[in-house]
Amino acid sequence: MVRPVDVGLREAVRLAVGFAAVKLTLHVGSNLWQTHIGYGYFRDEMYYIICGRRLAWGYVDHGPGVAVQARLALALFGRSLAGIRMLTAAAGAGMVFLTGMLAWALGGRRPAQGLAMLGVLISPQYLGTDGYLSMNSVEPVFWMGSLLALVLMARGGSARLWVWFGVLAGLGLLNKPSMAFFLVALLAGMLVTPARSLLLNKWAAVGVALMILIALPNVLWQMQNHWPTLEFLHNGQVENKNIKLGPVAFVLAQVKQMNPLTALVWGAGLVSLLRAHQWRWIGLMYCFFLAITMALHAKDYYVAPVYPVLFAAGGIAWERRFAASRGVVREWLFAFPAMETAMVLTAVLLLPLSMPLMPPAQWIAYTKATHLYGQSGNTENEVSGPLPQFYADRFGWQEEVDQVKQVYAGLSAEDKKKVGILCSNYGEASAIDFLGNGLPFASSVQNNYWIWGPQGATGEVMIVVTGAALEEMRERYASVEVVGRMGTEYSMPYEHRNIYLARRRKESLLKGWPELKNYI
């Protein structure tokens, strides 16, 4: 590969900052536009915000990192779509920045950096995950940040960079458990190559100790709460919550998510890493991680955080292959105009599948006209309506809350003192807690809402949002009436549910709560 001394660090940083700024601007603008055309909060965003109000060292279905992110975003930037997603957008910008720095650290010059960062910038997967509040946008920052520390040490940098590695790896474990599988794959790649020599010094021990120390509170929380995340993952497998792909379909999904044309970049990067004696451990890390995710039947996008380093290596592979071309010789930023133009045009065509930039009716018409309808791809075994789940879960929440507010307003003063709100899932409950100012705190039996309990409700007077039929409700309560119906044209089909006003639950909600747990 081209030696790193061929490009100055200052120039590499300046270039990476420029691409990162484009990424940040793109997402801030998109989030402002989505509000204008009628899209609302994504289901999970409201859940993370409520978790942020109830900070803990762990949660059933995610790490504590996203709860902290939600709390900070709300405090610093407000509750608008652009506000709650600001740190997510910044994380996406950080990922682009790290891609550029990895390209530099691995030996790339301006053409390599430009191609690598462009590939990451236009990837449909990253455009999607960096466009809403979640832990997924932060993952590549922790993964690639820790990997950059190792690359710098492999180039002869100070062994004290293990401290940097340990901090980022520890925070990554608090962000999402999948960091552990990345670390296993990384360790395996190093152990079977000469890169294992990096492990043989006291600073490696310090870094690992820091990582464990940072992640330890979450492990203790898991122990105290009887390992709820393992139960959650087990239930998902047993109940076939997620779509399971075979090996070929799983690999094809990677190509699709990254933008099919960019496979010519990151694919070349993977080959070049496996061929390079110094960096073979990185290529093997990817292969091991891909094998682990396929063996565990993980969601196909769980591999996404590792691709920036393949794009970085791919940029260098292209730079080397076309070393005699005018663009590379003159160190143009976009030295491969035909390829880069084709990548951008493909990205523009696919953009509506990643970012909701069109009103729903227009989106449906566009995707049908371009034969892209149905290509967004759900990751869970739930039937979608007119929109894929990623978009559909942004509709219907305010309508649900408005109806519950109306029911609550019609109660007597005495009933208001003892009424509880019970929802089928965390999305419905989070919408009430986030959007329903003045309403009692909602309860649900799903995931962390089960841990929080029924909020003092006994079942004497309940507003219940559920898919249960009227006959089922009458088996549980002495008096039941349908007082509303949630769901809009574009909501997920299973979110078309009745809203009941129920009285005198036949079994105390407090007494029966332990049996209602639903970790899924």
Side-chain angles (χ1 to χ4, degrees), residues 78-143:
R79 55 188 292 140
S80 68
L81 289 183
I84 67 167
R85 297 169 180 174
M86 191 65 70
L87 295 180
T88 291
M95 173 189 62
V96 172
F97 175 83
L98 286 169
T99 302
M101 297 314 299
L102 281 165
W104 166 79
L106 291 171
R109 296 180 288 137
R110 277 171 59 88
Q113 280 187 283
L115 181 60
M117 288 189 286
L118 179 64
V120 170
L121 184 64
I122 65 172
S123 162
Q125 180 62 44
Y126 300 136
L127 289 172
T129 55
D130 297 341
Y132 74 104
L133 170 64
S134 80
M135 71 291 287
N136 298 323
S137 63
V138 188
E139 266 194 302
V141 175
F142 293 128
W143 293 27

Side-chain angles (χ1 to χ4, degrees), residues 43-313:
R43 160 198 298 272
D44 291 0
E45 291 178 312
M46 297 181 291
Y47 180 44
Y48 300 145
I49 288 170
I50 302 307
C51 289
R53 293 176 180 174
R54 292 170 166 253
L55 288 176
W57 279 111
Y59 300 89
V60 173
D61 46 351
H62 58 81
V66 70
V68 174
Q69 180 193 160
R71 185 157 182 162
L72 285 175
L74 203 62
L76 295 174
F77 304 107
R79 55 188 292 140
S80 68
L81 289 183
I84 67 167
R85 297 169 180 174
M86 191 65 70
L87 295 180
T88 291
M95 173 189 62
V96 172
F97 175 83
L98 286 169
T99 302
M101 297 314 299
L102 281 165
W104 166 79
L106 291 171
R109 296 180 288 137
R110 277 171 59 88
Q113 280 187 283
L115 181 60
M117 288 189 286
L118 179 64
V120 170
L121 184 64
I122 65 172
S123 162
Q125 180 62 44
Y126 300 136
L127 289 172
T129 55
D130 297 341
Y132 74 104
L133 170 64
S134 80
M135 71 291 287
N136 298 323
S137 63
V138 188
E139 266 194 302
V141 175
F142 293 128
W143 293 27
M144 294 300 102
S146 57
L147 185 62
L148 179 59
L150 293 176
V151 169
L152 292 175
M153 284 187 280
R155 285 182 43 187
S158 170
R160 288 180 173 84
L161 286 168
W162 272 109
V163 174
W164 171 7
F165 175 93
V167 170
L168 289 175
L171 292 174
L173 289 168
L174 291 180
N175 180 66
K176 194 172 179 181
S178 53
M179 180 83 189
F181 298 107
F182 166 72
L183 292 173
V184 168
L186 186 59
L187 177 62
M190 296 177 72
L191 287 176
V192 299
T193 64
R196 57 183 171 269
S197 63
L198 293 175
L199 302 167
L200 304 177
N201 66 77
K202 66 177 182 179
W203 287 106
V206 171
V208 172
L210 267 176
M211 176 187 70
I212 294 173
L213 184 65
I214 291 170
L216 184 60
N218 178 251
V219 176
L220 296 177
W221 183 91
Q222 294 285 341
M223 292 174 61
Q224 184 180 8
N225 289 275
H226 311 292
W227 304 100
T229 299
L230 291 180
E231 183 178 344
F232 166 78
L233 295 171
H234 172 75
N235 291 345
Q237 290 284 346
V238 171
E239 299 185 26
N240 289 315
K241 175 185 177 182
N242 301 323
I243 295 173
K244 296 179 180 179
L245 299 176
V248 174
F250 195 91
V251 171
L252 290 176
Q254 306 304 306
V255 175
K256 177 181 174 183
Q257 290 169 4
M258 291 296 124
N259 182 330
L261 271 182
T262 65
L264 297 174
V265 180
W266 64 261
L270 175 60
V271 172
S272 69
L273 288 170
L274 292 172
R275 288 179 174 177
H277 178 76
Q278 185 179 13
W279 308 120
R280 185 169 297 135
W281 55 278
I282 302 176
L284 290 173
M285 173 272 295
Y286 171 82
C287 295
F288 290 142
F289 186 72
L290 185 67
I292 290 171
T293 52
M294 288 193 293
L296 294 175
H297 297 291
K299 293 181 179 180
D300 49 27
Y301 68 81
Y302 282 12
V303 189
V306 82
Y307 282 98
V309 71
L310 299 190
F311 276 103

